[in-house]
Each structure stands twice: as structure tokens, then as C-alpha cells.
């Protein structure tokens, strides 16, 4: 499957503080998970803490399944990185597409991070994360919306 033709994520290379709330909490959670993984600490508590600030800590195990499935901690930034990495942009875009249940496009986004088997394994949990965020009132930006 090709990843050509996917839109550019609106916040590629953006500063974390410039992100909307939904993207910001996911970035904080992912970066916490990555940091804990790199340091050999249990990653789930680090992932859960930012999600708890928005009342969606129940999404932590499912988001962890996405991150484990993609196995991309080496390409993610640290908590203090001043800009989003390309991997973080691809992760957020994949999650945004999954929230809209556009499976094919979400899979293509995840293929930017991982080989096909890993990207497929992350897709189911990503759809669940998207649903959990939507139920909590957190909508990720729609990367398929064209700006006029």
C-alpha cells in the first residue's frame, strides 16, 4: 500500500504548545510513554497521567497498544523537544484519520511509521482510541478537510 497522496498534517514540525487540546494530550501521552520505555520504567503510568487531565485515562491501555504495535519509540521526540518529529506527526495524523473511521487512510498513515503487519496491528486499537476521544468531546483535526 502506498502512502503517497496522503495530506500533509497541519502541524508537521509545529511547536507542541501550538497544538489543539486533543493533539496536545496525545502528544504528551506518547512522549511520556516513549520516555518511560527508553528508561526501562513501566510505560503505562506515564501514558495515563496526561490522559487523566482530560478524563480519558481509560484510553491509556488502548493507546499503549497502538504505540507498542507501531514500535516507534526511537523516532519519537522527548518531552522537551521543541518541535514535532515526523514520526509524531504521522502518529497524530493516523489517529485523526482513525477517529473518522477512514481505515485505509489511517493505515497509510501508520505505514509511514511501521511495516504492514505492525501498522495493521495498530489500526484496531487506533479506531478505539478515536472513539474514546470522541466520546470525551476531544476531536482531532481532520487532515482530509481541504482549506479554502
Amino acid at each position: 500500500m502506498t502512502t503517497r497522496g496522503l495530506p500533509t498534517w497541519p502541524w508537521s514540525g509545529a511547536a507542541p504548545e501550538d497544538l489543539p487540546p486533543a493533539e496536545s494530550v496525545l502528544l504528551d501521552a506518547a512522549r511520556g510513554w516513549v520516555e518511560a520505555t527508553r528508561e526501562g520504567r513501566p510505560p503505562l503510568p506515564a501514558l495515563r497521567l496526561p490522559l487523566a487531565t482530560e478524563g480519558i485515562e481509560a484510553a491509556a491501555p488502548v493507546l499503549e497498544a497502538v504505540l507498542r504495535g507501531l514500535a516507534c519509540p526511537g523516532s519519537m521526540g522527548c518531552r522537551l523537544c521543541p518541535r514535532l518529529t515526523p514520526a509524531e506527526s504521522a502518529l497524530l495524523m493516523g489517529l485523526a484519520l482513525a477517529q473518522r473511521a477512514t481505515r485505509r487512510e489511517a493505515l497509510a498513515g501508520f505505514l509511514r511509521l511501521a511495516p504492514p503487519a505492525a501498522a495493521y496491528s495498530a489500526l484496531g486499537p487506533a479506531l478505539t482510541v478515536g472513539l474514546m476521544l470522541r466520546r470525551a468531546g476531544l476531536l482531532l483535526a481532520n487532515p482530509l478537510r481541504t482549506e479554502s
Side-chain angles (χ1 to χ4, degrees):
M1 172 178 243
T2 183
T3 61
R4 286 178 288 137
L6 280 177
T8 301
W9 185 241
W11 294 283
S12 292
E17 58 270 8
D18 294 338
L19 294 175
E23 285 82 356
S24 181
V25 73
L26 287 175
L27 179 66
D28 287 346
R31 284 183 170 183
W33 181 87
V34 167
E35 183 178 281
T37 300
R38 288 177 181 161
E39 294 174 357
R41 294 184 288 117
L44 191 56
L47 179 69
R48 185 173 283 134
L49 188 59
L51 298 177
T53 64
E54 295 291 335
I56 53 171
E57 61 274 3
V62 187
L63 182 56
E64 183 179 34
V66 173
L67 295 169
R68 280 194 192 283
L70 296 174
C72 57
S75 57
M76 303 289 271
C78 68
R79 288 183 194 241
L80 299 177
C81 286
R83 300 271 175 218
L84 268 71
T85 67
E88 290 167 340
S89 294
L91 173 67
L92 291 175
M93 184 172 71
L95 289 169
L97 290 166
Q99 187 177 52
R100 284 157 183 78
T102 54
R103 290 168 177 84
R104 185 179 63 196
E105 289 83 1
L107 177 62
F110 291 150
L111 284 170
R112 291 178 171 176
L113 296 170
Y120 273 109
S121 75
L123 187 57
L127 292 167
T128 303
V129 168
L131 180 61
M132 294 174 93
L133 289 173
R134 181 178 292 277
R135 286 183 178 161
L138 293 170
L139 297 178
L140 297 161
N142 186 351
L144 299 178
R145 183 178 301 142
T146 55
E147 299 294 326
S148 311

